[in-house]
Amino acid sequence: DSSLAAASADPAGGDADAGGSLRTPRSASFHEAAKGLDGASPAVPDAMVAEYERVKRELEQMREMKAKYEELRSNHEKLKVENEEVRKIVGDMYVSVDEDKEITDKYKATYKEIVDSLAPGGGPPKTGELMPKLYDLMVRMNDEDIRKEYMVQMEIILNDDPSVSERVKGIAEGMSIKLGEMMDTPRHQRIAKLAKEEEDRKQAQRQQQQNQADAAKSKEREAAQRKRNGQAYDALEPAIRQ
């Protein structure tokens, strides 16, 4: 048909596929996509137009959100690489912002667990179990949080609050001494000292294990020697008695 041929030749009217149906360009609007071969637009319900526009907006929003997510992920990966580079330079003395918050949160949770265990009905005290962990976290806290926690513990000691037990005040006294010492030492030095103490402790354990192993081998040698001595005596005894 001449009209179909004209429509197929018209670049503005879209391309015709092998079956002769009209394929609209990707940029066509909802109404343009709904046009028939004669170019006339059928009656499209307003609800369908509104739904089309809504879906179109949601898709655009999803594309924007995906682009922002990819940008954030890329920045996060770059930050991780930068943090690892810094860590390689300064070692375990480096503490990132996220790690800093995690340390503070763990410290608060551990301290609360200790105090709760000292309350009436709180079960067995957890001071022996958790205080070493609390001191380790204190060492890793930033300098500002150390000063704040020092003030908190001093207030517990100085305030005559009847709701605070003597055991909690006793813990506050010990912690205030530790915190006071830490206030005069920058965090990187505290962490370095902690790392050295940990290495010394491991070295002492290794040395103790080695000493125990050496002692066990020595006992085995002594037992073997006594056995050989007994066997030699048993062999020589008849000749000696003659």
Side-chain angles (χ1 to χ4, degrees):
D1 295 339
S2 59
S3 60
L4 180 58
S8 299
D10 184 7
D15 300 325
D17 60 15
S21 61
L22 186 63
R23 294 179 298 175
T24 58
R26 290 188 176 182
S27 60
S29 67
F30 184 80
H31 286 289
E32 291 172 341
K35 286 181 179 180
L37 295 177
D38 58 357
S41 297
V44 179
D46 292 340
M48 291 182 63
V49 175
E51 179 65 12
Y52 167 80
E53 295 296 337
R54 183 189 67 79
V55 173
K56 181 180 177 182
R57 287 194 301 270
E58 288 184 357
L59 289 174
E60 291 175 351
Q61 291 173 355
M62 289 178 64
R63 281 194 291 267
E64 292 177 1
M65 290 177 62
K66 183 178 180 181
K68 290 179 180 179
Y69 168 77
E70 292 296 333
E71 182 180 0
L72 287 173
R73 189 177 66 83
S74 176
N75 292 337
H76 179 68
E77 292 299 325
K78 289 179 181 178
L79 184 60
K80 283 177 61 177
V81 173
E82 292 174 1
N83 287 346
E84 287 301 321
E85 292 299 323
V86 174
R87 193 184 296 277
K88 289 178 183 178
I89 296 173
V90 300
D92 291 336
M93 291 182 291
Y94 171 75
V95 180
S96 68
V97 175
D98 291 340
E99 290 173 326
D100 202 32
K101 183 179 182 305
E102 183 180 357
I103 290 170
T104 303
D105 291 344
K106 285 183 178 179
Y107 170 85
K108 292 178 179 179
T110 304
Y111 178 74
K112 183 179 184 303
E113 191 173 355
I114 292 173
V115 173
D116 289 346
S117 73
L118 298 176
K126 297 183 178 180
T127 50
E129 173 189 352
L130 295 179
M131 285 305 294
K133 178 181 177 182
L134 190 70
Y135 285 140
D136 180 83
L137 292 168
M138 284 167 54
V139 168
R140 301 178 185 279
M141 288 169 62
N142 64 57
D143 299 341
E144 181 62 25
D145 285 341
I146 287 289
R147 286 189 288 270
K148 289 179 180 178
E149 192 58 28
Y150 177 79
M151 296 301 298
V152 169
Q153 298 304 320
M154 289 303 297
E155 288 179 3
I156 292 175
I157 297 170
L158 298 176
N159 288 346
D160 295 328
D161 188 348
S163 65
V164 179
S165 68
E166 291 299 322
R167 289 193 292 182
V168 172
K169 288 184 178 180
I171 290 177
E173 290 176 359
M175 290 179 61
S176 64
I177 294 173
K178 288 282 188 180
L179 290 164
E181 295 172 352
M182 295 178 186
M183 285 173 59
D184 298 328
T185 308
R187 173 160 61 179
H188 70 277
Q189 293 183 10
R190 299 197 305 267
I191 294 178
K193 181 181 178 183
L194 180 67
K196 185 178 184 304
E197 291 174 352
E198 180 64 21
E199 180 58 33
D200 291 344
R201 185 161 49 250
K202 290 181 179 179
Q203 180 61 34
Q205 290 176 349
R206 288 193 294 266
Q207 186 61 50
Q208 183 180 12
Q209 292 172 353
Q210 183 63 44
N211 293 341
Q212 291 174 349
D214 292 343
K217 290 180 180 179
S218 178
K219 288 182 179 180
E220 290 177 0
R221 287 194 297 268
E222 291 175 0
Q225 185 61 48
R226 284 195 298 269
K227 183 178 180 180
R228 287 193 294 269
N229 291 343
Q231 291 172 343
Y233 176 80
D234 293 339
L236 294 174
E237 183 182 11
I240 294 173
R241 290 185 180 279
Q242 291 179 356

